[in-house]
Amino acid sequence: MKVDYSRLRESGVRNAFFDFDFKVTGDSIINMRALDPFLTSLQTNHIVIEISNDGTAPISGVDIVAKNTETTISSTTTSVTNLENVVVLDSNWDVGHIDPGTSKYLEVDVYIPGSLKDETLHVPMDLTYFNAHGDRHTISRIVDFYIKGLIDARIYDVRVIDLSGKPTVIGEIINEGNEDALFGFVTLEPLGDSNIIKSTQFIDEIETDSPVPFNTPLEFDGDPRYGEHDIRITVRYKDSLRDEKFITYDTTILINDPSKSQESEIDYNPWIILSVAVGVGIIVFSQIRKRKKVETNAS
């Protein structure tokens, strides 16, 4: 800044010019947030937390510690979930220098037990750093996560049966997680040169306590082709957050010719053969008894 004493010069007063340089260091504003705030119970989750400097001054020597105390209270006086309920593989991070307007990231793996399903996990963090003046500061931040249940569904025991004279694909879906899948649909579609017509069936919820069966009668584009068919079964459902999920199962099914199956049953079924043999034996035994009875009466 320059000071002009031109008016003083005119009055005969001695004047001088001075340059004043001011340097404003600014301030740092530290924020923390989870890139993905949703965790899944019954499995290990990889967490990425962003630490951003939204101020105008850099910070250095940044060190972050995840607090693990039962008495930690948030700013709203609501009790914070204790981190002892989960398994944290790391709880201290040396982040280093963060320039203004930039971010750094810390990563950690956390195992969430099934007991924390449908709860909010509050993770209190202490952040220690040095500002542009070299002063050491410690601030606290809370990173929140929502814990959803696990849907672990799979398709199994897929085969073809004859149902009311029509080949039908049947199978079951088992959910080995701890949360029901909602609004379930099963879609069967052909693969390769199969002429089976694609079809979809609504199965509603896929619960965790028992297998869910499905059956899809087969229709053909043109005449039925008997033998092997490659198919894909897709189960579509939504989780508790209404996010749509898919699982697929590719397999090969065998469709038998019903006319040949009937002939085979008549010609080769051992129970039919045994029944015929028993019937013939009974008739022969009866004829022998009658003949003996006649001979006895004649004598």
Side-chain angles (χ1 to χ4, degrees), residues 24-282:
V24 179
T25 58
D27 197 7
S28 54
I29 302 174
I30 313 302
N31 291 307
M32 300 180 67
R33 69 180 184 94
L35 293 187
D36 184 0
F38 298 104
L39 305 180
T40 304
S41 60
L42 286 178
Q43 68 179 30
T44 299
N45 299 257
H46 186 70
I47 295 175
V48 180
I49 298 176
E50 179 186 43
I51 307 98
S52 59
N53 182 358
D54 298 324
T56 57
I59 57 175
S60 59
V62 179
D63 186 76
I64 299 175
V65 177
K67 297 174 66 176
N68 190 19
T69 64
E70 297 182 359
T71 58
T72 303
I73 304 296
S74 71
S75 59
T76 58
T77 69
T78 301
S79 178
V80 175
T81 302
N82 182 13
L83 284 184
E84 291 180 355
N85 292 330
V86 302
V87 179
V88 183
L89 300 184
D90 196 1
S91 61
N92 187 283
W93 302 268
D94 182 11
V95 177
H97 186 87
I98 305 179
D99 288 320
T102 64
S103 299
K104 290 289 183 71
Y105 301 89
L106 60 86
E107 302 183 29
V108 61
D109 291 325
V110 178
Y111 178 80
I112 308 295
S115 59
L116 293 182
K117 180 176 75 75
D118 299 330
E119 292 188 14
T120 300
L121 178 66
H122 306 283
V123 182
M125 315 281 280
D126 277 353
L127 187 147
T128 302
Y129 67 94
F130 293 91
N131 64 13
H133 298 286
D135 300 326
R136 188 174 185 268
H137 294 272
T138 298
I139 60 175
S140 296
R141 294 289 184 267
I142 295 178
V143 183
D144 292 329
F145 297 91
Y146 176 77
I147 302 173
K148 60 183 181 179
L150 173 67
I151 300 174
D152 185 14
R154 62 182 178 88
I155 305 165
Y156 70 101
D157 199 19
V158 176
R159 62 189 187 278
V160 179
I161 65 170
D162 183 83
L163 189 62
S164 301
K166 177 175 288 188
T168 302
V169 172
I170 65 170
E172 293 187 280
I173 306 165
I174 186 70
N175 180 5
E176 298 178 337
N178 63 345
E179 178 177 284
D180 295 344
L182 309 174
F183 312 113
F185 289 86
V186 175
T187 298
L188 186 149
E189 57 183 319
L191 299 176
D193 60 353
S194 173
N195 69 332
I196 294 175
I197 297 176
K198 181 179 178 179
S199 60
T200 299
Q201 174 192 9
F202 177 64
I203 58 172
D204 203 1
E205 293 187 359
I206 306 173
E207 299 180 345
T208 60
D209 55 355
S210 62
V212 177
F214 65 89
N215 63 84
T216 304
L218 296 180
E219 300 289 344
F220 298 89
D221 183 10
D223 294 332
R225 295 180 187 171
Y226 302 110
E228 292 185 344
H229 287 257
D230 293 329
I231 63 169
R232 170 171 294 165
I233 297 174
T234 302
V235 176
R236 183 176 81 249
Y237 61 87
K238 291 186 177 181
D239 61 15
S240 59
L241 302 179
R242 298 304 189 267
D243 291 333
E244 196 166 55
K245 308 291 184 180
F246 298 87
I247 56 173
T248 60
Y249 181 79
D250 294 348
T251 188
T252 300
I253 58 174
L254 179 64
I255 303 177
N256 294 319
D257 188 339
S259 60
K260 292 183 179 180
S261 297
Q262 290 176 1
E263 292 176 1
S264 176
E265 290 178 0
I266 294 174
D267 294 339
Y268 304 108
N269 192 316
W271 292 107
I272 295 178
I273 295 174
L274 180 61
S275 299
V276 172
V278 171
V280 171
I282 293 173

